[in-house]
Amino acid sequence: FIGYDLMRYFGRMLQKHGDQFQNKIDQEQDQYLHTKFQFVPLAPKSFTAGSENYSVDQYENKYINILEFKDFYFQLAQ
């Protein structure tokens, strides 16, 4: 499931935005079979509060899929 979701997400990003999809990665938030993708940009360490000029070093998926074993099967933790 995880591999399918990853390929589906990045395949759609490539199809929709081409080889520069990384510039739009924080604008696409979709639910897939196993997980959800909610990428947010992380500012570099030299970022100062209130500054409009900074470059993004990396993106991070803020969604965490936590499962619990309850009633004899795995389900999303509440």
Side-chain angles (χ1 to χ4, degrees):
F1 284 104
I2 297 169
Y4 178 80
D5 285 351
L6 285 169
M7 288 303 297
R8 190 168 176 206
Y9 177 78
F10 287 108
R12 284 184 176 177
M13 291 295 290
L14 281 168
Q15 181 182 24
K16 190 172 181 179
H17 303 291
D19 61 355
Q20 296 297 313
F21 72 91
Q22 68 273 16
N23 298 326
K24 306 276 185 182
I25 201 166
D26 59 335
Q27 299 172 8
E28 303 284 333
Q29 297 181 1
D30 292 324
Q31 174 70 45
Y32 290 91
L33 293 177
H34 171 35
T35 192
K36 186 184 296 186
F37 295 101
Q38 295 175 340
F39 288 102
V40 295
L42 297 178
K45 292 181 181 178
S46 62
F47 175 75
T48 57
S51 174
E52 294 292 326
N53 298 325
Y54 67 93
S55 62
V56 176
D57 284 341
Q58 63 187 12
Y59 290 88
E60 180 177 88
N61 187 9
K62 286 294 188 178
Y63 181 78
I64 299 174
N65 194 9
I66 300 175
L67 301 175
E68 66 178 342
F69 190 76
K70 183 178 176 184
D71 299 330
F72 302 105
Y73 64 95
F74 287 102
Q75 49 190 309
L76 285 175
Q78 299 287 332

Short mmCIF file of all heavy atoms in Angstrom, two decimals, residues 2-34:
data_model
loop_
_atom_site.label_atom_id
_atom_site.label_comp_id
_atom_site.label_asym_id
_atom_site.label_seq_id
_atom_site.Cartn_x
_atom_site.Cartn_y
_atom_site.Cartn_z
N ILE A 2 1.91 1.26 0.81
CA ILE A 2 2.74 2.45 0.93
C ILE A 2 3.43 2.77 -0.40
O ILE A 2 3.41 3.91 -0.87
CB ILE A 2 3.78 2.29 2.06
CG1 ILE A 2 3.07 2.14 3.40
CG2 ILE A 2 4.73 3.48 2.10
CD1 ILE A 2 3.97 1.72 4.54
N GLY A 3 4.01 1.75 -1.02
CA GLY A 3 4.68 1.95 -2.31
C GLY A 3 3.71 2.40 -3.39
O GLY A 3 4.04 3.25 -4.22
N TYR A 4 2.52 1.82 -3.39
CA TYR A 4 1.50 2.21 -4.36
C TYR A 4 1.12 3.68 -4.18
O TYR A 4 1.03 4.43 -5.14
CB TYR A 4 0.27 1.32 -4.21
CG TYR A 4 -0.85 1.68 -5.14
CD1 TYR A 4 -0.84 1.26 -6.47
CD2 TYR A 4 -1.92 2.45 -4.71
CE1 TYR A 4 -1.86 1.59 -7.34
CE2 TYR A 4 -2.95 2.79 -5.57
CZ TYR A 4 -2.92 2.36 -6.88
OH TYR A 4 -3.93 2.70 -7.73
N ASP A 5 0.90 4.09 -2.93
CA ASP A 5 0.55 5.48 -2.65
C ASP A 5 1.65 6.43 -3.09
O ASP A 5 1.38 7.49 -3.67
CB ASP A 5 0.26 5.68 -1.16
CG ASP A 5 -1.08 5.12 -0.73
OD1 ASP A 5 -1.88 4.71 -1.61
OD2 ASP A 5 -1.33 5.09 0.48
N LEU A 6 2.90 6.10 -2.80
CA LEU A 6 4.02 6.95 -3.19
C LEU A 6 4.13 7.09 -4.70
O LEU A 6 4.27 8.21 -5.22
CB LEU A 6 5.33 6.40 -2.63
CG LEU A 6 5.56 6.60 -1.15
CD1 LEU A 6 6.76 5.79 -0.67
CD2 LEU A 6 5.78 8.06 -0.85
N MET A 7 4.03 5.98 -5.41
CA MET A 7 4.12 6.04 -6.87
C MET A 7 2.94 6.79 -7.47
O MET A 7 3.10 7.56 -8.43
CB MET A 7 4.21 4.63 -7.46
CG MET A 7 5.53 3.95 -7.21
SD MET A 7 6.94 4.89 -7.85
CE MET A 7 6.60 4.91 -9.58
N ARG A 8 1.78 6.60 -6.92
CA ARG A 8 0.59 7.29 -7.42
C ARG A 8 0.71 8.81 -7.20
O ARG A 8 0.41 9.59 -8.08
CB ARG A 8 -0.64 6.74 -6.73
CG ARG A 8 -1.92 7.20 -7.34
CD ARG A 8 -3.08 6.40 -6.81
NE ARG A 8 -4.31 6.93 -7.35
CZ ARG A 8 -5.47 6.83 -6.76
NH1 ARG A 8 -5.58 6.18 -5.62
NH2 ARG A 8 -6.55 7.34 -7.30
N TYR A 9 1.13 9.20 -6.00
CA TYR A 9 1.28 10.62 -5.70
C TYR A 9 2.31 11.28 -6.60
O TYR A 9 2.04 12.29 -7.26
CB TYR A 9 1.66 10.81 -4.23
CG TYR A 9 1.89 12.26 -3.86
CD1 TYR A 9 0.82 13.11 -3.66
CD2 TYR A 9 3.17 12.78 -3.75
CE1 TYR A 9 1.02 14.44 -3.34
CE2 TYR A 9 3.37 14.11 -3.43
CZ TYR A 9 2.29 14.93 -3.23
OH TYR A 9 2.48 16.24 -2.92
N PHE A 10 3.53 10.73 -6.64
CA PHE A 10 4.59 11.36 -7.41
C PHE A 10 4.37 11.20 -8.91
O PHE A 10 4.76 12.06 -9.70
CB PHE A 10 5.96 10.84 -6.98
CG PHE A 10 6.36 11.39 -5.64
CD1 PHE A 10 6.37 10.59 -4.51
CD2 PHE A 10 6.70 12.72 -5.51
CE1 PHE A 10 6.73 11.11 -3.27
CE2 PHE A 10 7.05 13.26 -4.28
CZ PHE A 10 7.06 12.44 -3.16
N GLY A 11 3.71 10.13 -9.34
CA GLY A 11 3.35 9.99 -10.75
C GLY A 11 2.36 11.07 -11.17
O GLY A 11 2.50 11.67 -12.25
N ARG A 12 1.38 11.35 -10.34
CA ARG A 12 0.42 12.41 -10.63
C ARG A 12 1.10 13.78 -10.63
O ARG A 12 0.77 14.64 -11.45
CB ARG A 12 -0.72 12.41 -9.62
CG ARG A 12 -1.69 11.31 -9.86
CD ARG A 12 -2.85 11.39 -8.90
NE ARG A 12 -3.82 10.36 -9.21
CZ ARG A 12 -4.91 10.14 -8.51
NH1 ARG A 12 -5.17 10.87 -7.44
NH2 ARG A 12 -5.74 9.19 -8.86
N MET A 13 2.03 13.97 -9.70
CA MET A 13 2.75 15.24 -9.66
C MET A 13 3.57 15.44 -10.94
O MET A 13 3.59 16.54 -11.50
CB MET A 13 3.65 15.31 -8.43
CG MET A 13 2.92 15.41 -7.12
SD MET A 13 2.00 16.94 -6.93
CE MET A 13 3.32 18.11 -6.77
N LEU A 14 4.24 14.39 -11.39
CA LEU A 14 5.02 14.47 -12.63
C LEU A 14 4.12 14.74 -13.83
O LEU A 14 4.44 15.55 -14.70
CB LEU A 14 5.82 13.19 -12.85
CG LEU A 14 7.09 13.07 -12.05
CD1 LEU A 14 7.62 11.65 -12.12
CD2 LEU A 14 8.12 14.05 -12.56
N GLN A 15 2.98 14.07 -13.87
CA GLN A 15 2.05 14.25 -14.98
C GLN A 15 1.48 15.67 -14.99
O GLN A 15 1.36 16.29 -16.04
CB GLN A 15 0.93 13.23 -14.90
CG GLN A 15 -0.07 13.32 -16.02
CD GLN A 15 -1.20 12.32 -15.87
OE1 GLN A 15 -1.50 11.87 -14.77
NE2 GLN A 15 -1.80 11.97 -16.98
N LYS A 16 1.14 16.19 -13.83
CA LYS A 16 0.48 17.49 -13.73
C LYS A 16 1.45 18.66 -13.87
O LYS A 16 1.14 19.65 -14.52
CB LYS A 16 -0.24 17.57 -12.38
CG LYS A 16 -1.15 18.75 -12.23
CD LYS A 16 -1.94 18.63 -10.94
CE LYS A 16 -2.89 19.79 -10.77
NZ LYS A 16 -3.66 19.67 -9.53
N HIS A 17 2.66 18.55 -13.26
CA HIS A 17 3.58 19.68 -13.19
C HIS A 17 4.90 19.45 -13.93
O HIS A 17 5.75 20.34 -13.93
CB HIS A 17 3.88 20.02 -11.73
CG HIS A 17 2.67 20.33 -10.93
ND1 HIS A 17 1.89 21.46 -11.13
CD2 HIS A 17 2.06 19.65 -9.93
CE1 HIS A 17 0.89 21.47 -10.28
NE2 HIS A 17 0.96 20.38 -9.54
N GLY A 18 5.11 18.29 -14.48
CA GLY A 18 6.35 18.01 -15.21
C GLY A 18 7.53 17.80 -14.27
O GLY A 18 7.36 17.50 -13.09
N ASP A 19 8.74 17.95 -14.80
CA ASP A 19 9.93 17.65 -14.01
C ASP A 19 10.27 18.74 -12.99
O ASP A 19 11.25 18.62 -12.26
CB ASP A 19 11.13 17.38 -14.91
CG ASP A 19 11.50 18.58 -15.78
OD1 ASP A 19 10.78 19.59 -15.75
OD2 ASP A 19 12.52 18.49 -16.48
N GLN A 20 9.47 19.78 -12.89
CA GLN A 20 9.66 20.81 -11.86
C GLN A 20 8.56 20.72 -10.79
O GLN A 20 8.19 21.72 -10.18
CB GLN A 20 9.64 22.20 -12.51
CG GLN A 20 10.79 22.44 -13.47
CD GLN A 20 12.13 22.38 -12.76
OE1 GLN A 20 12.30 22.99 -11.71
NE2 GLN A 20 13.07 21.64 -13.32
N PHE A 21 8.07 19.50 -10.55
CA PHE A 21 6.97 19.31 -9.60
C PHE A 21 7.35 19.70 -8.17
O PHE A 21 6.47 20.03 -7.37
CB PHE A 21 6.47 17.86 -9.61
CG PHE A 21 7.42 16.88 -8.99
CD1 PHE A 21 7.34 16.58 -7.65
CD2 PHE A 21 8.39 16.25 -9.77
CE1 PHE A 21 8.21 15.68 -7.08
CE2 PHE A 21 9.25 15.35 -9.20
CZ PHE A 21 9.16 15.06 -7.85
N GLN A 22 8.63 19.69 -7.85
CA GLN A 22 9.04 20.02 -6.48
C GLN A 22 8.67 21.45 -6.09
O GLN A 22 8.54 21.76 -4.92
CB GLN A 22 10.54 19.76 -6.27
CG GLN A 22 11.45 20.69 -7.02
CD GLN A 22 11.76 20.24 -8.43
OE1 GLN A 22 11.09 19.38 -8.99
NE2 GLN A 22 12.79 20.81 -9.02
N ASN A 23 8.47 22.31 -7.07
CA ASN A 23 8.07 23.69 -6.77
C ASN A 23 6.60 23.79 -6.38
O ASN A 23 6.17 24.82 -5.86
CB ASN A 23 8.35 24.59 -7.98
CG ASN A 23 9.82 24.65 -8.31
OD1 ASN A 23 10.66 24.60 -7.42
ND2 ASN A 23 10.14 24.75 -9.57
N LYS A 24 5.81 22.75 -6.64
CA LYS A 24 4.38 22.76 -6.34
C LYS A 24 3.99 21.71 -5.30
O LYS A 24 2.82 21.49 -5.04
CB LYS A 24 3.59 22.48 -7.63
CG LYS A 24 3.90 23.37 -8.78
CD LYS A 24 3.12 24.63 -8.68
CE LYS A 24 3.37 25.45 -9.94
NZ LYS A 24 2.71 26.69 -9.94
N ILE A 25 4.97 21.06 -4.70
CA ILE A 25 4.70 19.92 -3.83
C ILE A 25 3.90 20.29 -2.59
O ILE A 25 3.14 19.48 -2.07
CB ILE A 25 6.01 19.19 -3.46
CG1 ILE A 25 5.71 17.77 -3.01
CG2 ILE A 25 6.79 19.95 -2.41
CD1 ILE A 25 6.92 16.89 -2.95
N ASP A 26 4.01 21.53 -2.13
CA ASP A 26 3.26 21.94 -0.95
C ASP A 26 1.85 22.40 -1.27
O ASP A 26 1.08 22.72 -0.38
CB ASP A 26 4.01 23.03 -0.19
CG ASP A 26 4.26 24.27 -1.02
OD1 ASP A 26 4.30 24.16 -2.25
OD2 ASP A 26 4.41 25.35 -0.42
N GLN A 27 1.46 22.39 -2.55
CA GLN A 27 0.12 22.80 -2.95
C GLN A 27 -0.82 21.63 -3.17
O GLN A 27 -2.01 21.83 -3.34
CB GLN A 27 0.20 23.65 -4.22
CG GLN A 27 1.00 24.91 -4.02
CD GLN A 27 1.24 25.65 -5.31
OE1 GLN A 27 0.69 25.31 -6.34
NE2 GLN A 27 2.08 26.68 -5.26
N GLU A 28 -0.30 20.42 -3.19
CA GLU A 28 -1.11 19.22 -3.43
C GLU A 28 -1.25 18.44 -2.13
O GLU A 28 -0.26 18.00 -1.56
CB GLU A 28 -0.45 18.34 -4.49
CG GLU A 28 -0.20 19.03 -5.81
CD GLU A 28 -1.46 19.19 -6.64
OE1 GLU A 28 -2.39 18.38 -6.48
OE2 GLU A 28 -1.52 20.13 -7.43
N GLN A 29 -2.47 18.27 -1.65
CA GLN A 29 -2.72 17.50 -0.43
C GLN A 29 -3.86 16.53 -0.72
O GLN A 29 -5.01 16.93 -0.81
CB GLN A 29 -3.08 18.42 0.73
CG GLN A 29 -1.98 19.36 1.10
CD GLN A 29 -2.33 20.25 2.26
OE1 GLN A 29 -3.41 20.17 2.82
NE2 GLN A 29 -1.40 21.10 2.63
N ASP A 30 -3.51 15.27 -0.88
CA ASP A 30 -4.50 14.26 -1.24
C ASP A 30 -4.49 13.10 -0.26
O ASP A 30 -3.48 12.82 0.39
CB ASP A 30 -4.21 13.71 -2.65
CG ASP A 30 -4.44 14.75 -3.73
OD1 ASP A 30 -5.39 15.54 -3.58
OD2 ASP A 30 -3.69 14.76 -4.71
N GLN A 31 -5.60 12.41 -0.19
CA GLN A 31 -5.75 11.18 0.61
C GLN A 31 -5.60 10.00 -0.33
O GLN A 31 -6.22 9.97 -1.39
CB GLN A 31 -7.12 11.16 1.29
CG GLN A 31 -7.42 9.89 2.02
CD GLN A 31 -6.58 9.72 3.27
OE1 GLN A 31 -6.43 10.64 4.03
NE2 GLN A 31 -6.06 8.54 3.47
N TYR A 32 -4.80 9.03 0.05
CA TYR A 32 -4.60 7.83 -0.76
C TYR A 32 -5.03 6.61 0.03
O TYR A 32 -5.67 6.73 1.07
CB TYR A 32 -3.14 7.75 -1.21
CG TYR A 32 -2.83 8.81 -2.25
CD1 TYR A 32 -2.34 10.05 -1.87
CD2 TYR A 32 -3.05 8.58 -3.59
CE1 TYR A 32 -2.08 11.03 -2.82
CE2 TYR A 32 -2.79 9.55 -4.54
CZ TYR A 32 -2.31 10.78 -4.16
OH TYR A 32 -2.06 11.74 -5.08
N LEU A 33 -4.68 5.42 -0.43
CA LEU A 33 -5.15 4.19 0.21
C LEU A 33 -4.66 4.05 1.65
O LEU A 33 -5.41 3.67 2.53
CB LEU A 33 -4.70 2.97 -0.60
CG LEU A 33 -5.31 2.81 -1.98
CD1 LEU A 33 -4.69 1.61 -2.67
CD2 LEU A 33 -6.82 2.68 -1.89
N HIS A 34 -3.39 4.34 1.87
CA HIS A 34 -2.81 4.09 3.17
C HIS A 34 -2.53 5.37 3.96
O HIS A 34 -2.61 5.41 5.17
CB HIS A 34 -1.51 3.30 3.02
CG HIS A 34 -0.69 3.17 4.27
ND1 HIS A 34 -1.23 3.04 5.51
CD2 HIS A 34 0.63 3.16 4.46
CE1 HIS A 34 -0.27 2.95 6.41
NE2 HIS A 34 0.87 3.03 5.80
#
